[in-house]
Amino acid sequence: MFTTMRKALPLIPLAALLAGCGSTGGPGQLTVGVAFETLQTEYWVASRNAIEAELKKHNARMLEAIADGDANRQFEQIRNFITRRVDGIIVVPKDAQTIIPMIREANKANIPIVLFNRPPAESDAVSVAVVADNYSIARDTVDYLAREAAKTGRKHKAAILIGDLGDINSIGRRDGFEDAIKPHAKWIDVVARIPTEWNQEKALAGLTNALQANPDIDFLFSSSDLLLPSVASALKTAGKYKKRGEPGHVLLGTFDGDATAWRMLQEGYVDAVGVQDLYFDTAETVRAVLDWRAGKQPPARIVDKGFVIHAGNMAELAPRMWGANIAK
Amino acid sequence: MRVFARVLFSEYFVLWLCLACFALLAPAVPGLASPRNLSNMFSNMLPLAVAAIGQTAVLIGGGIDLSVTSAIAMASTCGALAMTRGGEPGSAAAGIAVMLAAGLAIGLVNGVSVARLAMPPFMVTLTSMMFFSGLAIWLTRSRNIHNLPASFLALGSGAWPVVITLAAAAGAHLALSRTWHGRRLYAVGMNARTARVSGVPVARVLTLAYLFSGLCAAVASILYTARLETGSPLMGQRILLDVIAAAVIGGTSLFGGRGKVPWTLGGVVFVTLIDNAVNLMGLAFFMVLTVKGVVILGAALLDRARVNYAGR
């Protein structure tokens, strides 16, 4: 039996370690529960770090939980935050519908709840959503590319990599692309609309097929920087991975503003990036929590207009691009 | 010392382990012992318990059901589609019937493939998981289904989840411990060939175990879908490890022939307690996964060492 007891001994320091991790913040310090759906992309990791830094600025402590893509786990995590009587909740919801019962739980407990980057579906539940204007950022990015195309004086064949059509952000980006193309229809003919479901393998296969069917595609919009490695790979296979100014260069626009997009913009493979203003988003998110807690109800939706970065304004806007700061 | 030995070698060791962990963590983890958190933990463990009870039956029979998460997703999707014809809330009873039928159908496919076609359970249920997960996504084109009837949503809160889980647990416990079929399942799990020679209808017994697992997955899906007010093709996608861990930590053998529903409930309490505690601590995501993995592995090792020692 003593052998068994000796085997159990390693659990004791582990339990002690666990217990030590549960210390609370100092007196008067606010605690905000931050629940992300996932941390699987650079954007979410950068957002998490920016929120943590912003909370620190306001002397607030972050209590974090990651649902790893599971809406039920997110539901349980939000309820745990409520149990802890946090002063506010910031959540990146799994999707627009499953977040509704969670908002209701927070409403019942009278805890401010702010949704980051994804808005909720319409309901009677009260929340604040800080969201990028996906439609207008995508539209402005594609408009810039279209004007660049017009300058060449020749007709272009275009393709778009679409995200997940169950994701409202993805739909906004697609619609922005389509509406930006309309006034330039005489210069641009959209020959491929490639669904990717935010999956790099699907993006690679879809774009490779499109480039085989239309080898003269020379205008491309990727709905997320996440798909850029697939884009680069497909263009290389097709012999079309050329820098700005080189013959055969494909006009390439993308969305998000991560470090890969920044590097490819600097190198000349990417022409324009629609950037979500992460620092605006995180500052507004934390401000909304604090205002709500102080009794000032923020608007239900706070919109990030974002910006378009391209070769012409790169030096000026780089400090506002989160991917450029990560790449430093 | 005698009391310690009795605890260590008790068949409900995992429950003692839960109590020890709780006693150790409660003073240090804010809110862990609060009534509201205990109520949260209890409601969090109910759907997981139902799914783990089904898994226990399959494990006792010497198999494994990796398709339990896809059965949850398929039931959620099919039921929600049946309840929202034309986008408006429809009949909850029809939706529930469709959900149970979906779970049973997947259980039947698994059971027939394993028991009648003598295919390896791991391969069969892994393939089912992939196929039915894909089918659920295809049926909905990745979209969630909402606007479910209020009478269905009521099943996700209040007393209903407790009643449903208790009924599933009591039914499964009685079936396994007090019926001929239950004893036959243990016999098949210990040694299928000997059981067959002794006149046990092995194929039927195994098929029923997989049917039961599919049914339990469908019931868990009802609870998950009702509380999230949404039918989703991704429902339960990440709980497979928790389902299997709960059964195995409770003491159910991965090699068949050993296991009890109360043991599994103990395992469910342990998994939920660890999940809840690390969440309340606000540990970084990567730490949460690591700590949870280490604690579950440690508990399984401790249980193994205990059983080995007792068998000397």
Side-chain angles (χ1 to χ4, degrees), chain A:
Chain A
M1 190 169 70
F2 287 109
T3 311
T4 312
M5 282 170 67
R6 273 203 299 275
K7 284 177 182 168
L9 283 177
L11 285 179
I12 295 169
L14 177 68
L17 171 73
L18 284 174
C21 293
S23 58
T24 51
Q29 189 182 32
L30 295 181
T31 301
V32 176
V34 178
F36 271 75
E37 180 239 331
T38 175
L39 282 183
Q40 278 181 348
T41 69
E42 216 173 81
Y43 177 74
W44 296 125
V45 175
S47 303
R48 178 225 167 271
N49 293 341
I51 288 172
E52 187 179 34
E54 193 65 28
L55 285 170
K56 260 189 194 152
K57 258 197 249 172
H58 292 87
N59 189 33
R61 174 173 173 258
M62 179 168 101
L63 199 63
E64 74 175 302
I66 314 298
D68 198 19
D70 184 343
N72 261 298
R73 177 158 294 172
Q74 188 161 67
F75 183 79
E76 291 169 6
Q77 289 170 342
I78 299 283
R79 290 210 303 200
N80 285 342
F81 286 154
I82 294 169
T83 300
R84 281 284 300 265
R85 295 302 307 166
V86 293
D87 299 293
I89 294 171
I90 294 170
V91 55
V92 176
K94 172 84 178 84
D95 57 67
Q97 267 97 35
T98 54
I99 190 66
I100 301 296
M102 304 179 213
I103 299 174
R104 284 207 189 101
E105 293 267 336
N107 289 167
K108 260 192 266 171
N110 204 21
I111 294 176
I113 180 163
V114 179
L115 278 60
F116 182 82
N117 197 263
R118 287 180 185 151
E122 266 186 40
S123 76
D124 55 354
V126 183
S127 65
V128 174
V130 179
V131 287
D133 187 343
N134 287 277
Y135 169 81
S136 69
I137 299 173
R139 185 197 59 205
D140 295 349
T141 308
V142 177
D143 181 65
Y144 171 83
L145 290 179
R147 288 176 194 280
E148 290 296 302
K151 283 181 194 168
T152 64
R154 61 182 171 80
K155 203 162 168 86
H156 282 63
K157 288 202 172 170
I160 174 176
L161 291 167
I162 301 169
D164 181 349
L165 288 177
D167 176 356
I168 195 162
N169 292 349
S170 174
I171 294 168
R173 294 173 200 184
R174 182 205 56 188
D175 293 348
F177 170 87
E178 298 289 356
D179 285 355
I181 291 291
K182 272 179 203 159
H184 302 281
K186 69 174 179 177
W187 296 111
I188 300 161
D189 183 15
V190 182
V191 294
R193 293 174 175 84
I194 304 156
T196 69
E197 293 171 31
W198 299 134
N199 181 307
Q200 294 198 10
E201 286 77 25
K202 285 188 181 173
L204 177 60
L207 184 56
T208 303
N209 291 342
L211 286 167
Q212 276 172 3
N214 303 279
D216 46 355
I217 285 176
D218 51 3
F219 185 111
L220 183 59
F221 178 68
S222 167
S223 292
S224 170
D225 298 344
L226 173 74
L227 307 174
L228 281 178
S230 306
V231 170
S233 177
L235 289 177
K236 275 178 195 164
T237 305
K240 297 170 83 76
Y241 195 57
K242 309 283 186 191
K243 294 182 180 179
R244 267 190 304 276
E246 289 180 355
H249 170 66
V250 173
L251 275 169
L252 177 56
T254 179
F255 194 107
D256 280 336
D258 75 5
T260 306
W262 167 247
R263 184 177 50 76
M264 289 175 71
L265 181 68
Q266 279 184 310
E267 291 170 352
Y269 294 110
V270 163
D271 296 277
V273 185
V275 181
Q276 302 192 66
D277 194 343
L278 188 74
Y279 305 114
F280 170 87
D281 296 350
T282 51
E284 286 299 308
T285 299
V286 171
R287 195 169 63 84
V289 170
L290 300 178
D291 282 356
W292 192 342
R293 170 138 184 93
K296 287 184 279 179
Q297 180 65 41
R301 192 164 294 203
I302 298 169
V303 178
D304 159 20
K305 292 282 179 194
F307 56 91
V308 181
I309 188 166
H310 48 77
N313 62 12
M314 209 159 53
E316 178 198 342
L317 292 180
R320 285 176 59 199
M321 183 181 183
W322 60 274
N325 292 323
I326 287 176
K328 273 179 191 168

Side-chain angles (χ1 to χ4, degrees), chain B residues 197-212:
Chain B
V197 170
S198 309
V200 174
V202 173
R204 195 197 316 159
V205 168
L206 281 179
T207 305
L208 282 171
Y210 281 97
L211 272 170
F212 181 66

